[in-house]
């Protein structure tokens, strides 16, 4: 099996997980829209779901980097599936999957789920850094180089804003502070994803 075939094999598997997660967010949004007259609206879970949606698309966008391997073992496959699987769990919990005839209170939903979201998103953020460090090490970077990059770039630009937002979402009871956290997460997510691109090397097209 060539590298391209191995990538196709792995990416198809991971894409199914991510596609189901994206589909669930869209389906849950559709359920809320159809039951809009019975819903007590609160924009906070909607914004959080949008952040998760962008994060899922970003994860799909990074498949080429994360799955471009020449060999995979079963433990390695489980490792490669960890972040997409956690993203799927996060996506499934981001919006209500059903709305009863009684009013569905999205404020109560947000308060009931926000700490779970923080735990899942924190785990994903940490594992994403570990995955990036693993990829860099496999590409020839030294431990010292990875540590220096982490201290200079990852800590101030990734962990610090995410940590502040997660702490506010987890501990704060004020809606204003929740909005501050969601604003930080939105800017952080957009900044880290909108500049991404995939470039085809000259002469590699078919």
């Amino acid at each position: 099996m060539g590298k391209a075939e191995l990538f196709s094999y792995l990416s198809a598997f991971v894409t199914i997980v991510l596609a189901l997660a994206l589909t669930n967010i869209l389906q849950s949004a559709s359920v809320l829209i159809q039951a809009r007259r019975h819903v007590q609206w609160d924009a906070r879970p909607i914004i959080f779901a949008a952040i998760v949606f962008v994060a899922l698309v970003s994860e799909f966008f990074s498949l080429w980097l994360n799955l471009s391997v020449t060999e995979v073992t079963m433990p390695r496959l489980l490792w490669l599936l960890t972040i997409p699987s956690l993203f799927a769990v996060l996506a499934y919990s981001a919006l209500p999957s059903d709305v009863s005839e009684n009013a569905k209170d999205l404020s109560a939903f947000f308060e009931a789920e926000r700490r779970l979201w923080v735990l899942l998103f924190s785990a994903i953020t940490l594992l994403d850094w570990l995955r990036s460090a693993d990829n860099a090490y496999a590409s020839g970077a030294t431990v010292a180089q990875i540590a220096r990059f982490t201290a200079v770039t990852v800590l101030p630009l990734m962990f610090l804003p995410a940590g502040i937002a997660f702490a506010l979402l987890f501990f704060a009871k004020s809606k204003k502070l929740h909005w501050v956290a969601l604003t930080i997460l939105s800017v952080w997510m957009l900044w880290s994803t909108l500049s991404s691109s995939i470039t085809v090397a000259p002469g590699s097209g078919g």
Side-chain angles (χ1 to χ4, degrees), residues 9-79:
Y9 173 79
L10 295 174
S11 62
F13 194 18
V14 175
T15 298
I16 291 173
V17 176
L18 296 176
L20 288 174
L22 286 169
T23 300
N24 183 265
I25 289 181
L26 295 174
Q27 183 176 4
S28 297
S30 176
V31 168
L32 287 174
I33 291 171
Q34 292 176 23
R36 59 190 177 277
R37 294 179 181 85
H38 305 289
V39 174
Q40 295 180 11
W41 290 94
D42 186 329
R44 289 176 297 168
I46 307 296
I47 297 301
F48 183 81
I51 293 170
V52 174
F53 187 92
V54 174
L56 282 167
V57 175
S58 176
E59 179 66 16
F60 175 81
F61 202 75
S62 67
L63 288 183
W64 175 252
L65 174 64
N66 296 321
L67 300 181
S68 184
V69 296
T70 56
E71 179 184 5
V72 64
T73 61
M74 179 58 73
R76 180 73 174 175
L77 177 60
L78 293 174
W79 165 240

Side-chain angles (χ1 to χ4, degrees), residues 140-150:
T142 65
V143 173
Q145 289 173 328
I146 295 172
R148 184 165 55 252
F149 179 78
T150 299

Side-chain angles (χ1 to χ4, degrees), residues 87-183:
F87 260 132
V89 175
L90 182 61
Y92 271 76
S93 67
L95 289 174
S97 57
D98 63 87
V99 178
S100 65
E101 287 302 318
N102 296 323
K104 186 67 176 183
D105 188 346
L106 288 186
S107 293
F109 175 80
F110 180 87
E111 292 298 333
E113 301 296 328
R114 60 186 171 91
R115 290 186 173 87
L116 172 62
W117 295 341
V118 168
L119 294 176
L120 289 171
F121 220 150
S122 298
I124 290 169
T125 303
L126 178 60
L127 291 173
D128 184 50
W129 170 76
L130 289 174
R131 182 176 60 181
S132 298
D134 181 38
N135 290 338
Y137 186 77
S139 299
T142 65
V143 173
Q145 289 173 328
I146 295 172
R148 184 165 55 252
F149 179 78
T150 299
V152 173
T153 302
V154 176
L155 285 177
L157 297 181
M158 180 178 176
F159 285 158
L160 180 59
I164 293 172
F166 292 153
L168 289 175
L169 277 180
F170 193 92
F171 294 107
K173 297 181 180 180
S174 166
K175 284 187 177 183
K176 291 182 180 179
L177 291 179
H178 293 161
W179 275 112
V180 171
L182 292 172
T183 300

